[in-house]
Amino acid sequence: ADGAFIDAVSDLVDIISAFDIYVDERCKKVINGEYINGFIEDDMVKSIFRYDVITAFDIFEHFYEPMVAIRNCTTLLEKDGVIFGETGNASAVAKPHAWWYVHLIEHHIFWTESAFQFLARHAGLSLEMFHLNAHKERRYMSPIKRLAALSLHQIRNSKQLSDLVFSFTSVDPRMIGNPYAKDHVMFILKKVNQDGL
């Protein structure tokens, strides 16, 4: 994205690279490694480096072909390297089809702990951490904003109230998640098989 995260951790690492479907000039300014441009599912993901850590915050829900994407990620990892990231946790919601996260058009796939275990088993990885938490935008909300979000979330099933709120504010209550829900997961996948897939 814009490079804010990698800029924040730049003092901790020697080489910082980026991988995205487009080149963001703000991100380009904070890397000292390579900028790989393309889809992670592309057949020939090429890199001049192997990495100890790949971060994937809000990335896994965008995969079209998760096994291909993970195979390509593992080829970018050093032995014992890790993929550290965050994504939605579909098993944390009672009605996944009504989950706000599913209704974002750019989200294609939704994960559970058993899906991560399956992925790890078939990709030469081990699931080292699976920590439930709230979406990053909700973790740091002020108490007033959290109360407003909860109020909007509670009226999401009333078409009349939702339409009324939308007409005055352009905010669709159906797209507001419960600000207290732990409907996301922070995960670490570690490369354990040098050959990967």
Side-chain angles (χ1 to χ4, degrees), residues 60-72:
F60 274 50
E61 63 275 13
H62 297 275
F63 289 166
Y64 290 99
E65 296 180 71
M67 295 308 282
V68 173
I70 291 302
R71 180 190 67 223
N72 288 339

Side-chain angles (χ1 to χ4, degrees), residues 124-144:
L125 300 165
S126 67
L127 183 59
E128 300 289 313
M129 183 179 83
F130 190 85
H131 176 73
L132 302 179
N133 56 17
H135 185 273
K136 66 183 181 300
E137 291 177 5
R138 295 193 315 246
R139 285 196 298 265
Y140 308 108
M141 277 183 175
S142 69
I144 300 234

